Amino acid sequence: MNASHRFAMGALAASVMLAGQAGASEITDNEIRIGYLADMSGVYRDPIGPLGLDAIQMAIDEVGGSVHGAEVVVFSADDRNSADVGSSVVREWIDERNVDMVTGLVASSVTLAAIKLIEEENRLGLVNGAVSSGVTNESCSPNHIHWVYDTWAMSNGTAKAITQEGNHSWYLLSADYSFGHALEGDVERVVAENGGTVVGKARHPFPSTDFSSFMLQAQASGADVIALNNAGADTINAITTAGEFGITQAGQILAGMVLFSTDIRSIGLEVAQGLQFTKAWYYDMNDEARAWAERFRERTGSMPTMVHAGLYSSTLHYLQAIEAIGTDEAQAVRRQMADTPVNDIFATNGYIREDGRMVHDMYLVEVKTPEASQDEDDLFEIVRTIPAEEAFRPLAESQCHLVDNGA
């Protein structure tokens, strides 16, 4: 070990020791201030949106509403899927309200803009809604953690399984912004790695209501699989249009890369049956998840999505870290979160890597037929559990500057 490395390790140990000795006076303003930034009115409203606040509040309630005598306070805002709006909100929260942590962070374009500010001001970001794998790859920072899923994991689970079943030709329809571009690239990589080919591509405006021309192009391509590299209302509209054109009835497979339980309810089992896709969490995966989901439904009238579960899990882990070390200083809290396994309703033995990726099992699911469904909440069956180490991008392939790959 060289001298500089010994010094760095010593400084790290000292900072952790000091953080551990800190009391309530180390919590700024004697309040823990959380900002929830999300799409409250657009295409991601139903799967994330306003109900995300309830998930966060459930975590706050779990610790009694305060930590070391410091009240937990939450601010919220609609980012309107605009990077400019999102950046402006985060700037105001930091400058005027001294917010400690920002969570939600849904549209990837908004997220990538927000995490730059969060790093500049040494606050903490807990990314739950955004899917772009670049969040912890080329855009990684020591000030944010990516919790629920990413495009690498979603494409690796779904595209790999479908291609290995012998469906080799793919047509990619993607939302025309950073999330859709990232997902398109990851799907193309997985298809090629598993012996498939991409025979055509198109990008649709974000958001979009008319998918007729795009679906006709995809149908005319003759591809075995049409991949929908979008989410929320865009995915719902695309699947509905495909149903109107009889695309799946004619033998082509529709592969939704990012689907939520709210989407399946909107589409209906009659249209969605047989769809396979990857999920980070499902309320029927075990008894503990179901019990929490029932409490969420009692509070909101709806069953939670995987992002709602992630918001609860990441907020609880954050608050428990502050409780353990007695300070809300961003770097100390992030270290404590990384040093503590994630064991809750969302993940078993999850852990936070140096690139900021929270690693956990993922699940390949299939939408049930109407006949197989026992009630309105019985939507999926788990086809395969994708182990954590297989689910996310290997660190050996990381472009994150925080990762030492021996270069």
Side-chain angles (χ1 to χ4, degrees):
M1 182 183 295
N2 60 40
S4 62
H5 192 197
R6 281 197 302 271
F7 175 81
M9 293 298 290
L12 175 62
S15 65
V16 171
M17 189 183 304
L18 286 171
Q21 294 170 350
S25 62
E26 292 298 322
I27 295 177
T28 53
D29 308 306
N30 201 34
E31 286 185 342
I32 298 165
R33 298 177 180 174
I34 297 172
Y36 174 57
L37 184 66
D39 175 8
M40 300 292 200
S41 55
V43 294
Y44 303 135
R45 182 187 190 280
D46 289 344
I48 305 171
L51 295 190
L53 273 172
D54 291 279
I56 292 168
Q57 190 60 51
M58 287 174 72
I60 295 169
D61 293 345
E62 188 121 338
V63 299
S66 65
V67 178
H68 289 293
E71 183 182 359
V72 184
V73 178
V74 182
F75 305 99
S76 66
D78 186 348
D79 61 30
R80 290 183 281 172
N81 289 314
S82 164
D84 289 341
V85 171
S87 295
S88 177
V89 169
V90 173
R91 171 54 67 195
E92 190 270 336
W93 279 346
I94 291 172
D95 290 349
E96 305 297 328
R97 307 192 190 194
N98 204 18
V99 160
D100 303 295
M101 184 269 278
V102 178
T103 188
L105 299 168
V106 180
S108 295
S109 53
V110 174
T111 300
L112 293 171
I115 59 179
K116 290 180 181 178
L117 285 175
I118 290 167
E119 182 180 12
E120 287 172 8
E121 300 295 335
N122 192 33
R123 307 305 162 98
L124 194 62
L126 300 183
V127 180
N128 282 276
V131 198
S132 173
S133 60
V135 168
T136 52
N137 196 34
E138 65 272 13
S139 298
C140 73
S141 86
N143 288 80
H144 69 269
I145 298 167
H146 203 176
W147 207 264
V148 177
Y149 45 30
D150 61 33
T151 53
W152 201 100
M154 302 302 264
S155 60
N156 190 55
T158 308
K160 183 177 181 179
I162 293 175
T163 306
Q164 288 182 345
E165 287 171 4
N167 305 291
H168 291 132
S169 61
W170 286 66
Y171 186 93
L172 310 184
L173 177 59
S174 310
D176 194 9
Y177 79 109
S178 54
F179 151 61
H181 302 169
L183 192 48
E184 176 186 284
D186 280 330
V187 170
E188 191 164 13
R189 171 188 54 78
V190 173
V191 169
E193 287 175 354
N194 289 276
T197 56
V198 173
V199 298
K201 299 182 193 178
R203 290 177 173 176
H204 67 80
F206 168 74
S208 187
T209 56
D210 185 1
F211 281 86
S212 299
S213 63
F214 296 109
M215 281 302 163
L216 287 171
Q217 292 173 43
Q219 190 175 40
S221 74
D224 297 329
V225 187
I226 302 168
L228 303 178
N229 301 318
N230 48 24
D234 283 340
T235 301
I236 292 171
N237 291 333
I239 292 174
T240 301
T241 303
E244 292 169 355
F245 290 168
I247 285 176
T248 55
Q249 293 90 325
Q252 286 177 293
I253 295 171
L254 209 58
M257 290 296 136
V258 181
L259 279 163
F260 297 92
S261 51
T262 48
D263 300 334
I264 302 306
R265 285 197 190 87
S266 180
I267 297 164
L269 294 184
E270 192 64 47
V271 173
Q273 61 182 302
L275 271 173
Q276 288 192 359
F277 56 97
T278 304
K279 288 181 69 66
W281 180 88
Y282 174 41
Y283 49 74
D284 262 343
M285 55 193 276
N286 57 48
D287 292 342
E288 187 182 11
R290 184 71 191 210
W292 180 82
E294 291 292 354
R295 293 200 304 275
F296 185 92
R297 178 162 60 179
E298 288 172 11
R299 181 186 181 100
T300 67
S302 295
M303 291 299 271
T305 66
M306 54 186 165
V307 175
H308 295 146
L311 285 163
Y312 165 84
S313 171
S314 57
T315 304
L316 182 62
H317 202 67
Y318 169 75
L319 295 174
Q320 289 172 337
I322 296 174
E323 188 170 38
I325 62 176
T327 178
D328 58 3
E329 194 280 320
Q331 295 303 313
V333 174
R334 190 183 189 277
R335 284 192 294 269
Q336 178 64 24
M337 292 177 73
D339 287 344
T340 309
V342 181
N343 285 297
D344 56 22
I345 59 98
F346 182 81
T348 300
N349 294 324
Y351 62 93
I352 298 164
R353 300 190 311 200
E354 53 262 54
D355 61 350
R357 175 68 257 170
M358 200 280 272
V359 178
H360 53 86
D361 292 347
M362 298 284 285
Y363 307 91
L364 182 68
V365 303
E366 183 172 308
V367 179
K368 291 186 173 183
T369 64
E371 295 75 26
S373 175
Q374 296 181 22
D375 57 54
E376 64 179 4
D377 296 319
D378 186 20
L379 304 176
F380 316 114
E381 60 179 350
I382 295 177
V383 176
R384 182 166 97 85
T385 297
I386 305 168
E389 296 301 324
E390 181 186 328
F392 294 95
R393 185 197 312 274
L395 279 179
E397 299 176 10
S398 176
Q399 299 173 37
C400 172
H401 67 278
L402 302 172
V403 176
D404 182 5
N405 281 329

